Amino acid sequence: MVDVTKWPLFSLMEGEELSSIRQACVFGTSANEVIYITHNDDVYVFGLNCSNCLGTGDSQSTILPKKLDFLSGRKVVSLSYGSGPHILLATEEGELFAWGHNGYSQLGNGTTNQGVAPVLVSASLLNKRVTEVACGSHHSLALTNTGEVYAWGYNNCGQVGSGSTANQPTPRRVSNCLQNKVVVSITCGQTSSLAVVENGEVYGWGYNGNGQLGLGNNGNQLTPCRLVGLQGLCVLQVSVLSGYAHSLALTDEGLLYAWGTNTYGQLGTGNKSNQLSPVQIMAEKERIVEIAACHSTHTSAAKTQSGQVYMWGQCRGQSIVLPFLTHFSCTDDVFACFATPSVMWRLLSMEHDDFLTVSQSLKKEFDSPETADLKFSVDGKYIHVHKAVLKIRCEHFRSMFQSHWNEDMKEVIEIDQFTYPVYRSFLEFLYTDNIDLPPEDAIGLLDLATSYCENRLKRLCQHIIKRGITIENAFSLLAAAVRYDAEDLEEFCFKFCVNHLTEVTQTAAFWQIEGNLLKEFISRASRCGAFKN
């Protein structure tokens, strides 16, 4: 769990107040402002209040949290901030609210008057449901549920994508080569914009003086242009991020690419030379599962499959030109401790455990012979557990440990339908809520979760499998998803196989699949146009 008190602004809050926070964001040119949302969907702000960015209706700073009554009860799904700063906030209902600095009409209300309180952005967005927002220094982007991108505000370099350099006072749809594309993710640098479409292609527009659009040149783009340097790669949804003037992209194979300005080593290439086109970095490391950057900083971070967190770029005044392994458990800590300013790179979600000491105790007592009252024997190895914990945590065991089940009287229960790593991971999950398995073993755990009707565990297994999918195992994972009726995982694996069709069809896993599944895959892939010339 992220410790928000690593950001000094939270250090004055009491424990009960901190535990009420569900989402939070530290922002501002000096990281002096905070907005947070409670578990009750109340919205609070505090800090310096530059350019009325707290939205309290006045220009007064406050060290104590103030409630924004106008936004209370609205579930926040996306939030972003500019350099003014100005704030964009999207709700679960698809509404978009804006406030703060408005010198370039970045609030989208047709004026240049400061926004002292949250106002609904309605111009051009009536009957549209906004799902994601992104802010550059003084321009704004909004993504709708139908995959349309709208832009407005400062446009001196074409960052609004309108084909001109005139400022845009109200939201305008970004079209041109995005006209018939479904966009799934957006991000902004200081004066540039990037978008990912559903097939994994990346498009950029705006300022390109340092190559931050990745187009192979340093000319500004007034309309969206495809990054040909990423051609043939499928970029994950929400996995293209922009720093101040550099960009990062993560593919569906866990490969990391970087481009743009490199003054502080933020590209992680080992030098300070700008890159006009995407270059792969961290190729020698294990699979990357998360990347982090934001337009306020020159800092980059990444997290690997095993949980290792790396940072590079401007880190507390130093220029780190190669990814540096930290002791952090999440990329957010990099920005709290080393970014300048120490803003949050995303709207941070927190899951609080109200009974932390009990959780820690349960984790410690898992597989402990001293306190256990039951043993499972799997592949000749014992796993020590507590009946009470299993009955509380799992309906399957609650039913098992009844007087009419033979197992209720046993001190040792033999398990022969699952392997030791799988069954141990399952029992450990009941104690810790976490699982630590490679994708191949997660398939077996998915089988167990399906048999025991453990839906949450089933979702976690699917998440692990998605993060671990490769060319070699893709078809095996697809077959497993079909076998265990995991529809979301099946769709993910199918798309991966189609995106990498040539390579996947050369693997042993592809030719070992039984005939009916193979026929169904070929038929479905053909309907998606996979075999068109």
Side-chain angles (χ1 to χ4, degrees):
M1 184 178 69
V2 180
D3 179 9
V4 293
T5 59
K6 289 184 178 179
W7 283 271
L9 282 167
F10 287 98
S11 59
L12 293 179
M13 297 179 71
E14 299 289 342
E16 185 175 343
E17 203 170 14
L18 287 170
S19 66
S20 72
I21 299 175
R22 189 182 76 242
Q23 298 166 295
C25 188
V26 176
F27 63 98
T29 53
S30 300
N32 283 332
E33 282 89 13
V34 172
I35 181 170
Y36 69 86
I37 300 97
T38 70
H39 292 285
N40 296 325
D41 292 315
D42 290 326
V43 180
Y44 289 86
V45 293
F46 63 94
L48 193 56
N49 203 18
C50 290
S51 303
N52 305 107
C53 65
L54 295 184
T56 54
D58 57 47
S59 59
Q60 300 300 309
S61 61
T62 174
I63 200 168
L64 295 175
K66 286 187 177 180
K67 186 177 178 181
L68 298 185
D69 291 313
F70 184 71
L71 294 176
S72 291
R74 305 176 192 269
K75 291 187 181 297
V76 178
V77 296
S78 184
L79 181 141
S80 189
Y81 56 87
S83 298
H86 72 287
I87 307 294
L88 296 182
L89 180 151
T91 70
E92 191 175 60
E93 291 74 29
E95 296 173 313
L96 174 60
F97 295 91
W99 65 95
H101 191 273
N102 196 35
Y104 303 94
S105 299
Q106 58 263 51
L107 300 186
N109 58 16
T111 76
T112 55
N113 301 325
Q114 299 280 72
V116 298
V119 174
L120 181 67
V121 181
S122 56
S124 308
L125 290 176
L126 285 176
N127 302 318
K128 303 288 184 181
R129 291 179 62 89
V130 174
T131 58
E132 185 182 353
V133 292
C135 294
S137 177
H138 300 294
H139 76 287
S140 305
L141 298 184
L143 176 64
T144 72
N145 64 330
T146 57
E148 297 175 341
V149 178
Y150 287 81
W152 60 98
Y154 198 31
N155 194 35
N156 64 322
C157 303
Q159 57 264 47
V160 169
S162 61
S164 76
T165 55
N167 292 348
Q168 178 62 38
T170 57
R172 176 190 182 279
R173 185 178 176 191
V174 182
S175 52
N176 299 90
C177 58
L178 290 183
Q179 182 68 42
N180 297 314
K181 305 283 187 179
V182 176
V183 176
V184 295
S185 180
I186 52 176
T187 186
C188 293
Q190 279 282 295
T191 50
S192 60
S193 305
L194 292 171
V196 183
V197 301
E198 62 178 347
N199 66 356
E201 296 175 348
V202 181
Y203 291 80
W205 60 98
Y207 184 65
N208 194 35
N210 299 297
Q212 53 263 62
L213 298 185
L215 302 176
N217 59 58
N218 57 4
N220 295 350
Q221 291 292 325
L222 305 186
T223 57
C225 186
R226 184 182 173 190
L227 276 70
V228 294
L230 293 175
Q231 190 168 350
L233 301 170
C234 184
V235 176
L236 284 172
Q237 183 175 343
V238 301
S239 282
V240 168
L241 294 174
S242 294
Y244 188 96
H246 76 288
S247 304
L248 303 176
L250 182 63
T251 75
D252 63 352
E253 293 184 87
L255 307 179
L256 176 55
Y257 290 81
W259 63 94
T261 193
N262 201 24
T263 309
Y264 301 95
Q266 56 264 54
L267 300 187
T269 55
N271 57 53
K272 294 185 179 181
S273 300
N274 293 353
Q275 293 291 333
L276 303 183
S277 297
V279 294
Q280 186 179 355
I281 62 170
M282 297 184 69
E284 77 285 359
K285 309 295 184 187
E286 62 178 323
R287 187 189 188 104
I288 307 298
V289 298
E290 182 178 86
I291 55 176
C294 85
H295 74 82
S296 297
T297 75
H298 304 283
T299 306
S300 303
K303 186 175 183 178
T304 69
Q305 190 168 25
S306 66
Q308 292 182 320
V309 174
Y310 291 81
M311 69 179 187
W312 62 99
Q314 189 181 42
C315 299
R316 283 284 175 181
Q318 295 189 60
S319 296
I320 309 298
V321 299
L322 282 172
F324 180 83
L325 178 61
T326 72
H327 296 293
F328 296 133
S329 60
C330 62
T331 56
D332 304 282
D333 288 347
V334 170
F335 283 78
C337 300
F338 282 92
T340 304
S342 57
V343 293
M344 290 184 180
W345 67 272
R346 58 179 169 183
L347 177 62
L348 189 59
S349 296
M350 284 153 285
E351 293 183 5
H352 292 280
D353 190 339
D354 295 331
F355 306 98
L356 189 60
T357 56
V358 174
S359 173
Q360 290 173 333
S361 298
L362 284 175
K363 183 176 182 179
K364 179 182 177 183
E365 294 306 317
F366 171 68
D367 201 16
S368 170
E370 289 77 18
T371 60
D373 58 1
L374 177 67
K375 292 185 288 188
F376 284 96
S377 177
V378 189
D379 297 339
K381 301 177 184 178
Y382 288 128
I383 309 171
H384 302 82
V385 294
H386 309 77
K387 280 187 179 181
V389 174
L390 302 191
K391 289 168 71 174
I392 291 170
R393 296 280 289 148
C394 178
E395 186 62 38
H396 172 81
F397 290 123
R398 190 175 303 173
S399 299
M400 175 185 287
F401 299 131
Q402 303 295 329
S403 57
H404 59 279
W405 280 52
N406 293 332
E407 285 83 351
D408 186 49
M409 304 301 296
K410 294 181 178 179
E411 293 182 356
V412 179
I413 297 177
E414 300 280 345
I415 299 294
D416 55 15
Q417 64 268 49
F418 301 106
T419 66
Y420 175 81
V422 165
Y423 212 77
R424 178 183 171 82
S425 183
F426 166 58
L427 294 174
E428 189 172 12
F429 163 75
L430 297 181
Y431 280 73
T432 65
D433 278 328
N434 295 313
I435 52 178
D436 184 17
L437 279 177
E440 290 73 21
D441 284 335
I443 288 291
L445 191 56
L446 179 61
D447 182 16
L448 185 153
T450 304
S451 300
Y452 285 15
C453 299
E454 288 286 330
N455 291 328
R456 183 170 180 270
L457 179 58
K458 189 174 177 179
R459 290 193 297 271
L460 287 174
C461 290
Q462 293 182 53
H463 185 61
I464 288 177
I465 293 168
K466 286 181 180 180
R467 285 189 163 188
I469 193 169
T470 65
I471 297 296
E472 295 300 322
N473 67 17
F475 224 85
S476 297
L477 299 182
L478 174 62
V482 173
R483 185 162 64 252
Y484 300 130
D485 195 29
E487 294 181 3
D488 181 62
L489 177 61
E490 178 186 345
E491 180 68 18
F492 179 88
C493 292
F494 171 78
K495 287 184 176 179
F496 184 94
C497 289
V498 170
N499 288 334
H500 304 277
L501 189 60
T502 301
E503 296 91 336
V504 167
T505 54
Q506 305 304 311
T507 63
F510 180 84
W511 296 107
Q512 291 171 1
I513 298 300
E514 56 91 15
N516 288 336
L517 176 59
L518 189 58
K519 291 178 182 177
E520 173 59 27
F521 173 78
I522 292 173
S523 174
R524 187 177 173 191
S526 66
R527 292 196 298 271
C528 293
F531 303 111
K532 289 181 179 179
N533 291 327

